[in-house]
Amino acid sequence: MRICVLGGGVIGVTTAYFLARDGHQVTLVERHADVARETSHANGGQLSYNYVAPLADPSVLPKLPHWLFSRDAALRFVPRLDPRQWHWCVAFLRACTRARSRATTEELLGLGFLSQRLMHEIVARETIDFDYVRNGKLVVFRDRDSFDGARRQADYQAQFGSEQYALDGAACVALEPALAHIGGEIAGGIHTPGEEAGDCDRFTRALARAAQREGVDLQVATEFSGLKTQGKLVEAAMTSAGAIEADAFVVCLGIQSQPLLGSLGVSVPVYPLKGYSLTLPATHATGAPRVSVTDAHHKVVYAPLGERLRIAGMVDLTGMSAHADPARIALLTRQARETFPDAGDYDAAQTWTGLRPATPDSKPLIGATHYRNLWMNTGHGALGFTLACASAQLLADLLAQRSLPINGDAFSPRR
Ligand SMILES: Cc1cc2nc3c(=O)[nH]c(=O)nc-3n(C[C@H](O)[C@H](O)[C@H](O)COP(=O)(O)OP(=O)(O)OC[C@H]3O[C@@H](n4cnc5c(N)ncnc54)[C@H](O)[C@@H]3O)c2cc1C
């Protein structure tokens, strides 16, 4: 089959790679001069297959006033005259029930574990260097209530195969000595030895080269502008390099999926959640953590990437602009300095901002649309790197009408 994949982030590239390995003739369209220039560029680097619980959970409801009124909150909401923002927020609030949060956690764990297996297969098969480490993850809590809640979540997830251990503050510091500076503040932590980390940008670029070796026609610097349709069939993707005809089209355009498909009446309930990252020269010898650390209090993640430390956080519901707010960067830098003062050269940190393509229920949209040959693989929110491989496999299985390794209905765009 001739398949045109639209969008060269981590999702589009993995999708093109899996489809090419299935024997399809794949064209991948990306508007930048290389892949992974947008949200997949400098994200948190966590392959956190076990940390997939949705943002939409009853426990967030009491925190809403703080998010609305505090400039220093990890999650910031600036109301806009934008119906998309309000629709998304209403759907998010509707998803904040215990039953839905639990069901989503179980579904996303299935996708996460499949992704981990597929990532291991790719790492074994391809020569790709992306600062990949199987270093485990330690989530530390500074208050007893949050730690108790996390322990209950770990107990719940154990039945689905999550291997996680609760540690007291001293054991957290023993596991990761770089935490010594805040050791006295740590109420406890959850250690997940099986978690991994890597550089999403380098992974995506290397996998794009591997995809080209599998025959993918990578068309970079090519802007997609719309689809030419005939009834319920898509005939061609219109691009700055001309019309691309294909038998099937897969939309992996991240936050641009909605604006570009909305005119066709295809609903893509994705809203941008802006986040920030810092990347600094740092090694374990200079005081950077060796395991991936999440500071649950500030909602900041730390991942060692070779000779660098990636620090990421913040969730801003402030619209489509990727403008970097200096106050947010200053806040992230201050929190990181206070947590790991000796980690590395903060003055040399590179700053970055990206827009997570988030659905209200935190589940990606993978599958068919009401156009016969138009497919979607988008809406991965805060977990696109983690879930990319399984999402691509699921899409390839659906397209080939094969039996699915997990429940595909859970991620259907028409759910
Ligand atoms: C601060 C931050 C930290 C994060 N940390 C993690 C983490 O630790 N672990 C994790 O798993 N995930 C993390 N994420 C989430 C992850 O980065 C995203 O889920 C993922 O990058 C989304 O990939 P994507 O391919 O859907 O989108 P993108 O990477 O945005 O790709 C979409 C592509 O479509 C292209 N495109 C758009 N419009 C057009 C057009 N008209 N024509 C042609 N091309 C077009 C874009 O140029 C882009 O390359 C984080 C995100 C942020 C912001």
Side-chain angles (χ1 to χ4, degrees), residues 79-101:
R80 303 215 171 270
L81 283 173
D82 173 4
R84 276 185 61 207
Q85 189 191 49
W86 290 94
H87 281 138
W88 192 94
C89 288
V90 170
F92 173 82
L93 291 174
R94 281 211 186 108
C96 285
T97 66
R98 189 166 172 76
R100 282 192 68 182
S101 168

Side-chain angles (χ1 to χ4, degrees), residues 339-362:
T339 308
F340 294 112
D342 308 319
D345 186 356
Y346 285 96
D347 293 332
Q350 291 178 333
T351 59
W352 173 82
T353 167
L355 300 171
R356 303 174 185 89
T359 58
D361 61 5
S362 294

Side-chain angles (χ1 to χ4, degrees), residues 47-177:
L47 291 162
S48 46
Y49 311 107
N50 291 272
Y51 286 91
V52 294
L55 185 60
D57 183 85
S59 63
V60 304
L61 298 174
K63 299 175 188 155
L64 290 178
H66 179 57
W67 292 344
L68 268 171
F69 299 115
S70 167
R71 277 193 64 77
D72 279 3
L75 197 148
R76 194 154 61 103
F77 175 65
V78 178
R80 303 215 171 270
L81 283 173
D82 173 4
R84 276 185 61 207
Q85 189 191 49
W86 290 94
H87 281 138
W88 192 94
C89 288
V90 170
F92 173 82
L93 291 174
R94 281 211 186 108
C96 285
T97 66
R98 189 166 172 76
R100 282 192 68 182
S101 168
R102 290 232 143 160
T104 299
T105 301
E106 183 181 350
E107 289 157 352
L108 286 174
L109 280 173
L111 201 61
F113 294 149
L114 176 61
S115 236
Q116 185 170 30
R117 181 166 67 70
L118 294 168
M119 175 62 87
H120 291 180
E121 287 175 16
I122 289 178
V123 167
R125 185 168 54 235
E126 307 289 352
T127 318
I128 48 175
D129 178 7
F130 61 108
D131 292 323
Y132 172 65
V133 278
R134 297 181 184 177
N135 58 339
K137 181 179 173 93
L138 178 61
V139 182
V140 293
F141 299 86
R142 302 191 193 210
D143 68 278
R144 175 57 52 185
D145 282 355
S146 306
F147 179 44
D148 289 345
R151 275 205 296 210
R152 285 194 295 275
Q153 182 72 16
D155 289 344
Y156 170 70
Q157 290 191 194
Q159 65 186 302
F160 306 115
S162 285
E163 192 194 334
Q164 301 182 298
Y165 303 96
L167 307 180
D168 63 20
C172 289
V173 178
L175 178 74
E176 180 43 78

Side-chain angles (χ1 to χ4, degrees), residues 291-314:
V291 299
S292 296
V293 171
T294 298
D295 178 351
H297 179 69
H298 292 310
K299 303 215 176 328
V300 175
V301 298
Y302 299 82
L305 299 178
E307 306 269 286
R308 300 166 298 156
L309 179 66
R310 176 70 48 77
I311 302 163
M314 312 283 171

